[in-house]
Amino acid sequence: MFIKNQMGQSYKPIAAAEQPILALGRVLQSLREEDDVDVLIETAIAYIKQEFNYNLVWIASYDRLKHALLGRGGIAPSRDLSFLRKRLVLQPGDLLEQVVIQQSPLGVADIRNEKRAGEWREFGTKFNIQGTIMLPMRYKDRCMGLLLLGSERWGYLLPEDAKARLMIILGELAAILYQKEIDLQHKQIKRPDEPLLKLLENVRNLTSLEERLKAVVKATHDFVSPSRTNVYWFERQGRYFWCRMGNQLVHLGRDNNREQPAAGMTVQELNDLYYALSVNQIVWVGDARSSLKGQFTAKLLERLRVRSLLAAPIIWQKDLLGFVAVEDYEPRIWTDAEKNFVQGAAGFISLVAPNDNIEDTVKQIQEDSQLTSEVAQSIYTHQDLKETLRTCAARVTNRLNASRFLLLHYDHDLNNYQVIYQTQPHNRRSFNSGFSLLTETDRQMLKSAKTTVAVENIEEDLRFFNWRSLLLENGVRSLLICNCAQGHKGETLLIVTHASPRSWTNQEKELLWVVSQQIGVVVRQWRLQTNNEQQQQVLHSIEQSLNIVKGTESENNEPKQHHLESKALEQIASVLNCPLALLLSWSDGDSTAEIIPGVIVDSKFDVLITAKLLVQYEALIQWALSEKGYLCVSIDQIPAETRRWLKGSGIGQVLIIALRTGVDHQPTGVVLLADHRERHWSQYSLNAGEILINQLAWLRRQQQINQRLKSTTQKLRQLNWYKHRRLEEIQRTTTSLLGQIHDLGIPSNDLTQTRYQLLLRQLDHTATSMTAMVKQEQWQLYIGWETMPIATLLKRSLERVDCLVKQQKLWVGVHGLAQPLTEKEAVPAPSNPSLMAIAGDIIKFELILHELLLAACHRSPNNNRVDIWCRRLNERFLEVSITDNGTIEPQLLTELQQKTHQDILAISRLEKSPILNLLICQHLMQQLGGELDIYQLPDHRVASRLVLPLAEGNS
């Protein structure tokens, strides 16, 4: 078929594939030429109806502020099209919100079965709509609306060419809607200048503050058009906000309507809002945007029961009086014009608010001036510091309505702040402990501060964190603190506290600052007088320190290790007033020195106590030995090797002196004292310390002599016991062998001859062992090294007490030889118990075990039992416990557990056998690498626990 034009020319027919393109071009041209939005949408609907076979067509625009879809028309199976004009508020999780947020197409095979379809599910069920496709209208990453297509067919498959045409139409429609929205916004822009000028004129003609607040609220509400507009006033004493005026409230002045005060909102509830307003910042919370932190924003909106907020502070002389708030029940984006108007309205209130109580303000300034004058007069009139401070504290606490007045002074000796004066309420206890040292940040803040530092709520403020727990325990929630010497280190601090969180005005801060500087002068004079008194007491301290020898040993307890040195170092540190004192100690002939601590105030003067110092190579020791007196060394001069153990960060100076008792005596120690870099060592304190150090040297020498004598006595006792027991054993064995030889008589046959020779060899072995003992252990014990199965050792020990066991009719049992360490022990126990061997000096182990068995048998009643328990502790040690039902005196058991007696001159039960023998065995086991403990079990049995080293083959 051909088509002819007016000229009679013929053209080929238009191809079917070109028809959709032409239709698309025509509708795009129509959309570009039309200005009316409703006509645009009707054109798009007509095109979709003509080109696509769908029973349901719905176009909706998106309202971002209300997060809703507004139906703009469409095609429906019914004649009632009101549903297509309905507003649908998007709910979290539904399909329509997903398309709007993700801005991507979404299909549903059967909308009747889709729970997230909302009201469209009911619509589909009513009109038999199944397959549904939802397409977004987007422009510049903004969703302007969506298109919903539905049919009675199941499924949502859309051909690519059809989808492309739809996206082109929707994109063009979105661009036009976007431009329309921008044009509308430009037409609706508010200009705050004229309303603000009109508000200024109205406020100027009004007389009372309440009328002015009402005018500001009305003008703000008319300009911004929120859900409500309020003026919140700040109450400093209770630290809360109350609604003083609002467009939805009646007059809420406290003076005229005390019976119905407005509900308050505490600063704790409006924390971030309060601190932002305090620094004169405007606060806004809108549609998914906020000038505050997200976590607090949700709590703030929930507290005010709104979804949008715009607040501007009312500030006078840097003090927050309150804020103007416009609030909306729906999410809203605040414009710059609205922010400027609210901020200007708040500024008007800040100008007129002080005029409401101008007379009270003038009167308060006069009273403050009189107060500072009276405080100064009191300071220069009274000679007694306490009386002066009492007068100042009474006036200041009354003026500031405070609960406590505290004056702190830094104590260099204790390294903390001590309370030199305080007042508190009658129902509160005073501060009995000192205040810890402040952090470096807090100290620098107080040093550079030129006014009072205020803490409104110590539970929320990170400043003075080191004092938080102490203050809270004593009922302090808010405070003012002043450095009484401006520009200097905060050694004297004046603190005024309150029992509840509160806000402090700048006028109150300035008043306390003036008083604190006056008090600082008095405290400095008092400290000078105190220092003079302390100098007079130095001689008394030296006299007390010389009596230290009386306390080297207590009445009821044994002298502790290095007790003399520690006590002497404490006295030396007290006289020299330093935070670190220790002794580098060694004995004559030792190559290493140990560290004996005396005074270590805190971690800043920490020392690695466990370090072993080489006497020949340690710099501090060699420097001290080369000097006849004191040597002061800066921390910067000390080598890095020394600073590894002298590691305290606060150490700045080190003072060292060697312990000398005579020209012929070798020094055996170096006293080390340390303090901060700025420390000045006064000459009188150095002289006093030198006397104490010389006394320590002589006392230490005498103590070492006594210790050496005691050690020698102990060794001789061990040797005597050991030889005596060995000779007893040799005598017993020799007697037995000789008796057997006599019983054999003259050998008459080969069997008797063999037996005779065996006894002679045993007799020779016994004589040989006695010879070795006499030669090798004449004046000290010789530690041998052998191995022996534990079963053999127990057998030999039991043979030695066999006569005593039979005599007392005792039953002796051995348990646990074949048991492993634990049920889950990975190391297997020997399959043959006799192979479990111990290593060491077997002869001494056997004698100690014999001594324990002998004591157990002597303690046990006749016809009783003695148990031997073997248990492998680990791969290195074996535990042998002997239990019996005998009795032992508690006093002897206590002395035995202490392993030594308190006084070498006092008469002790330990000097008598068998307790002395057991004590010797305890000391000997320590030298042999084992343990011996004797104690009483809960069932009153006596237990002797012996820990023996295992041979390497058992590991």
Side-chain angles (χ1 to χ4, degrees):
M1 180 179 179
F2 292 89
I3 300 176
K4 294 183 179 181
N5 60 4
Q6 296 178 354
M7 302 292 296
Q9 296 175 341
S10 300
Y11 294 93
K12 295 181 180 180
I14 299 175
E18 297 178 358
Q19 291 292 340
I21 303 299
L22 294 176
L24 178 62
R26 287 193 297 268
V27 73
L28 290 177
Q29 184 68 23
S30 300
L31 293 177
R32 293 177 184 134
E33 295 176 353
E34 184 59 50
D35 293 332
D36 192 340
V37 176
D38 293 333
V39 175
L40 290 172
I41 293 177
E42 290 177 359
T43 303
I45 293 173
Y47 169 76
I48 296 172
K49 178 181 180 181
Q50 178 182 351
E51 295 294 325
F52 303 96
N53 185 20
Y54 283 95
N55 303 90
L56 173 64
V57 177
W58 182 59
I59 292 180
S61 60
Y62 175 56
D63 187 349
R64 289 187 305 279
L65 296 179
K66 299 181 179 180
H67 195 51
L69 290 173
L70 176 60
R72 307 301 293 266
I75 301 172
S78 66
R79 295 183 179 179
D80 185 9
L81 301 180
S82 60
F83 183 79
L84 302 182
R85 297 283 182 175
K86 187 176 181 181
R87 177 186 295 272
L88 296 180
V89 179
L90 297 179
Q91 301 298 328
D94 62 14
L95 295 179
L96 296 178
E97 186 191 51
Q98 181 178 343
V99 174
V100 170
I101 294 177
Q102 297 181 357
Q103 299 185 24
S104 59
L106 180 65
V108 179
D110 189 349
I111 199 171
R112 299 175 302 178
N113 299 327
E114 181 57 54
K115 296 181 179 179
R116 296 181 299 163
E119 297 184 25
W120 283 108
R121 180 185 180 188
E122 300 176 0
F123 187 89
T125 303
K126 181 177 180 181
F127 297 103
N128 194 29
I129 300 298
Q130 299 187 46
T132 304
I133 299 174
M134 287 163 274
L135 301 167
M137 293 189 299
R138 52 184 302 230
Y139 180 75
K140 291 184 177 181
D141 294 331
R142 292 180 62 178
C143 182
M144 305 303 299
L146 60 78
L147 168 66
L148 187 144
L149 302 175
S151 68
E152 297 179 354
R153 302 183 303 274
W154 185 92
Y156 55 87
L157 182 61
L158 185 66
E160 290 297 327
D161 62 332
K163 181 178 179 181
R165 285 182 289 158
L166 282 174
M167 296 307 295
I168 292 174
I169 293 297
L170 295 179
E172 186 68 22
L173 189 58
I176 296 174
L177 292 177
Y178 175 79
Q179 188 60 42
K180 296 292 183 181
E181 181 177 315
I182 296 299
D183 296 341
L184 181 61
Q185 289 179 358
H186 283 298
K187 294 179 180 178
Q188 295 178 346
I189 290 178
K190 300 178 180 179
R191 298 186 179 277
D193 46 1
E194 293 183 3
L196 281 176
L197 291 175
K198 185 177 180 181
L199 175 61
L200 178 60
E201 184 68 23
N202 294 336
V203 169
R204 186 170 54 187
N205 295 329
L206 298 175
T207 57
S208 68
L209 178 61
E210 302 304 326
E211 292 178 348
R212 291 170 176 175
L213 292 179
K214 188 175 182 180
V216 170
V217 169
K218 183 180 184 305
T220 304
H221 191 79
D222 292 341
F223 183 83
V224 182
S225 299
S227 299
R228 64 174 184 247
T229 303
N230 294 318
V231 174
Y232 292 94
W233 217 249
F234 182 48
E235 187 67 32
R236 296 187 175 277
Q237 192 68 28
R239 208 162 175 255
Y240 66 90
F241 293 95
W242 59 283
C243 186
R244 184 165 184 173
M245 184 63 64
N247 70 303
Q248 297 180 357
L249 300 176
V250 295
H251 187 123
L252 293 177
R254 292 172 298 164
D255 297 334
N256 301 329
N257 194 5
R258 297 180 181 272
E259 297 180 357
Q260 297 179 352
M265 297 179 295
T266 64
V267 169
Q268 188 173 5
E269 295 176 305
L270 310 178
N271 200 352
D272 287 10
L273 173 66
Y274 169 71
Y275 288 114
L277 296 175
S278 298
V279 294
N280 200 19
Q281 290 183 359
I282 188 170
V283 176
W284 51 269
V285 179
D287 183 17
R289 297 178 182 180
S290 174
S291 62
L292 303 175
K293 297 179 181 179
Q295 181 179 4
F296 175 76
T297 299
K299 295 171 57 179
L300 175 62
L301 296 179
E302 181 181 358
R303 177 64 181 86
L304 296 176
R305 298 179 181 178
V306 295
R307 300 186 68 180
S308 299
L309 172 69
L310 181 59
I314 304 171
I315 291 181
W316 183 67
Q317 291 187 349
K318 298 181 181 181
D319 291 330
L320 180 65
L321 302 181
F323 65 94
V324 178
V326 291
E327 307 160 9
D328 207 303
Y329 298 137
E330 299 296 334
R332 179 167 174 173
I333 298 178
W334 304 104
T335 64
D336 292 339
E338 293 169 340
K339 295 178 183 178
N340 294 334
F341 188 92
V342 174
Q343 194 169 16
F348 287 162
I349 298 178
S350 66
L351 292 176
V352 299
N355 298 331
D356 190 50
N357 53 355
I358 188 66
E359 296 180 358
D360 295 339
T361 303
V362 173
K363 181 179 179 182
Q364 187 65 66
I365 294 175
Q366 294 175 348
E367 292 178 354
D368 290 346
S369 177
Q370 183 180 359
L371 187 148
T372 55
S373 176
E374 292 177 353
V375 169
Q377 183 179 1
S378 174
I379 288 175
Y380 293 106
T381 301
H382 297 291
Q383 297 296 327
D384 186 8
L385 176 65
K386 300 296 183 182
E387 181 62 24
T388 300
L389 295 178
R390 187 191 65 80
T391 303
C392 294
R395 297 183 181 276
V396 170
T397 53
N398 182 61
R399 163 63 179 88
L400 301 181
N401 192 22
S403 57
R404 291 178 184 268
F405 180 96
L406 296 169
L407 187 61
L408 309 183
H409 191 275
Y410 177 68
D411 192 317
H412 294 276
D413 296 332
L414 301 177
N415 196 32
N416 63 8
Y417 286 92
Q418 292 294 312
V419 180
I420 60 178
Y421 185 81
Q422 61 178 314
T423 62
Q424 65 280 336
H426 298 291
N427 59 343
R428 290 287 185 179
R429 55 187 177 88
S430 60
F431 285 91
N432 297 323
S433 60
F435 286 66
S436 61
L437 192 65
L438 291 171
T439 62
E440 182 64 26
T441 303
D442 291 337
R443 292 201 298 269
Q444 291 298 327
M445 176 185 62
L446 290 175
K447 181 179 179 180
S448 59
K450 296 181 180 180
T451 185
T452 304
V453 178
V455 178
E456 298 184 4
N457 189 348
I458 63 175
E459 293 181 295
E460 300 174 356
D461 206 313
L462 294 179
R463 294 175 297 177
F464 310 106
F465 185 80
N466 293 2
W467 294 352
R468 176 181 292 182
S469 58
L470 179 61
L471 293 172
L472 290 177
E473 290 175 2
N474 289 271
V476 176
R477 295 298 183 273
S478 178
L479 61 88
L480 293 175
I481 181 169
C482 300
N483 180 7
C484 295
Q486 179 183 349
H488 297 81
K489 293 181 179 179
E491 293 193 348
T492 304
L493 304 177
L494 175 60
I495 302 176
V496 172
T497 72
H498 200 274
S500 60
R502 62 163 290 184
S503 177
W504 308 88
T505 65
N506 285 305
Q507 188 177 0
E508 293 171 335
K509 298 177 187 177
E510 293 173 0
L511 172 65
L512 188 64
W513 179 257
V514 174
V515 174
S516 68
Q517 302 309 301
Q518 295 173 342
I519 292 178
V521 176
V522 180
V523 173
R524 282 195 292 272
Q525 295 176 348
W526 171 72
R527 288 301 301 171
L528 290 175
Q529 182 180 356
T530 303
N531 290 336
N532 292 332
E533 295 175 354
Q534 290 177 350
Q535 293 177 3
Q536 297 175 4
Q537 295 176 356
V538 169
L539 292 178
H540 178 70
S541 300
I542 294 176
E543 181 181 356
Q544 294 296 325
S545 300
L546 292 177
N547 295 327
I548 191 173
V549 68
K550 298 179 181 180
T552 55
E553 294 183 359
S554 58
E555 296 182 0
N556 300 320
N557 299 322
E558 291 294 322
K560 298 180 180 179
Q561 186 180 14
H562 306 312
H563 177 79
L564 170 66
E565 291 87 347
S566 298
K567 287 296 183 181
L569 289 171
E570 291 177 6
Q571 294 296 329
I572 295 170
S574 176
V575 171
L576 291 174
N577 192 19
C578 61
L580 174 62
L582 52 88
L583 176 65
L584 310 180
S585 173
W586 68 91
S587 299
D588 190 16
D590 290 348
S591 60
T592 60
E594 65 174 327
I595 300 176
I596 302 176
V599 175
I600 301 178
V601 173
D602 54 29
S603 59
K604 292 185 178 181
F605 294 89
D606 192 17
V607 175
L608 184 60
I609 304 299
T610 58
K612 297 296 183 181
L613 312 178
L614 295 177
V615 177
Q616 187 176 357
Y617 300 102
E618 175 52 52
L620 292 181
I621 294 178
Q622 294 301 317
W623 291 347
L625 295 180
S626 62
E627 296 286 336
K628 293 184 179 180
Y630 283 103
L631 178 63
C632 184
V633 183
S634 172
I635 190 66
D636 300 326
Q637 299 174 305
I638 297 177
E641 293 78 6
T642 301
R643 295 173 71 172
R644 291 176 184 171
W645 59 269
L646 196 66
K647 59 180 183 177
S649 61
I651 298 176
Q653 292 187 32
V654 175
L655 199 67
I656 51 177
I657 185 172
L659 292 181
R660 288 187 173 91
T661 54
V663 180
D664 299 332
H665 301 159
Q666 291 294 328
T668 58
V670 171
V671 174
L672 185 148
L673 308 169
D675 209 329
H676 52 78
R677 290 180 180 270
E678 295 78 14
R679 173 61 192 270
H680 172 70
W681 308 92
S682 60
Q683 189 60 45
Y684 74 90
S685 61
L686 291 176
N687 295 337
E690 189 173 5
I691 295 175
L692 296 178
I693 292 174
N694 290 335
Q695 185 71 12
L696 171 62
W698 281 104
L699 293 177
R700 177 177 163 83
R701 175 178 173 80
Q702 186 64 33
Q703 188 184 48
Q704 290 175 346
I705 293 174
N706 294 339
Q707 187 65 32
R708 179 168 296 183
L709 292 176
K710 291 168 62 177
S711 176
T712 303
T713 302
Q714 179 179 330
K715 292 179 180 179
L716 291 176
R717 284 177 174 177
Q718 292 178 353
L719 181 63
N720 180 68
W721 166 83
Y722 167 63
K723 285 188 175 183
H724 183 74
R725 293 304 189 197
R726 283 294 304 276
L727 290 175
E728 284 182 349
E729 174 63 16
I730 293 172
Q731 186 271 339
R732 185 186 68 82
T733 305
T734 304
T735 302
S736 176
L737 293 175
L738 290 176
Q740 296 179 45
I741 292 174
H742 287 302
D743 292 340
L744 288 176
I746 300 174
S748 58
N749 52 48
D750 295 340
L751 181 60
T752 306
Q753 184 69 26
T754 302
R755 178 62 177 161
Y756 190 80
Q757 292 177 354
L758 179 60
L759 294 175
L760 286 177
R761 282 198 299 271
Q762 293 179 0
L763 187 60
D764 290 338
H765 177 70
T766 302
T768 302
S769 64
M770 182 169 57
T771 302
M773 180 192 69
V774 173
K775 288 183 177 181
Q776 296 180 356
E777 299 179 302
Q778 182 176 3
W779 289 108
Q780 61 183 2
L781 296 178
Y782 173 78
I783 307 300
W785 185 264
E786 303 173 83
T787 60
M788 175 181 286
I790 184 61
T792 303
L793 180 64
L794 292 175
K795 180 180 178 183
R796 292 176 56 173
S797 299
L798 290 173
E799 287 178 354
R800 299 184 60 181
V801 297
D802 185 62
C803 293
L804 184 59
V805 170
K806 293 179 179 179
Q807 180 181 351
Q808 295 185 213
K809 298 180 181 180
L810 299 174
W811 182 88
V812 180
V814 181
H815 315 277
L817 278 178
Q819 293 182 358
L821 176 62
T822 63
E823 295 180 0
K824 299 180 179 180
E825 178 61 45
V827 180
S831 58
N832 187 356
S834 62
L835 297 180
M836 186 183 296
I838 61 173
D841 198 321
I842 299 301
I843 295 178
K844 294 181 179 61
F845 285 154
E846 182 181 351
L847 291 176
I848 292 173
L849 187 58
H850 165 68
E851 193 71 45
L852 297 179
L853 288 172
L854 196 65
C857 292
H858 281 304
R859 283 193 300 266
S860 300
N862 293 339
N863 300 316
N864 215 300
R865 62 183 293 164
V866 176
D867 293 288
I868 303 175
W869 307 87
C870 299
R871 185 172 69 95
R872 184 175 178 185
L873 295 178
N874 49 42
E875 297 181 1
R876 297 179 55 191
F877 294 101
L878 174 72
E879 179 187 77
V880 178
S881 298
I882 303 173
T883 59
D884 62 84
N885 294 311
T887 58
I888 185 171
E889 295 183 21
Q891 181 182 359
L892 297 179
L893 188 61
T894 301
E895 293 181 356
L896 189 60
Q897 289 174 349
Q898 293 177 349
K899 299 182 176 62
T900 182
H901 55 280
Q902 57 185 15
D903 190 355
I904 193 173
L905 299 178
I907 299 177
S908 174
R909 302 284 297 274
L910 295 176
E911 299 289 348
K912 302 179 180 179
S913 181
I915 300 299
L916 179 59
N917 293 344
L918 295 177
L919 180 62
I920 292 173
C921 292
Q922 283 183 326
H923 290 295
L924 187 56
M925 277 304 300
Q926 295 179 359
Q927 300 179 29
L928 296 176
E931 297 179 12
L932 173 58
D933 294 302
I934 301 176
Y935 52 91
Q936 199 163 25
L937 297 174
D939 58 1
H940 304 295
R941 289 184 298 165
V942 180
S944 304
R945 179 178 177 269
L946 191 65
V947 177
L948 301 172
L950 285 168
E952 293 184 0
N954 294 276
S955 300

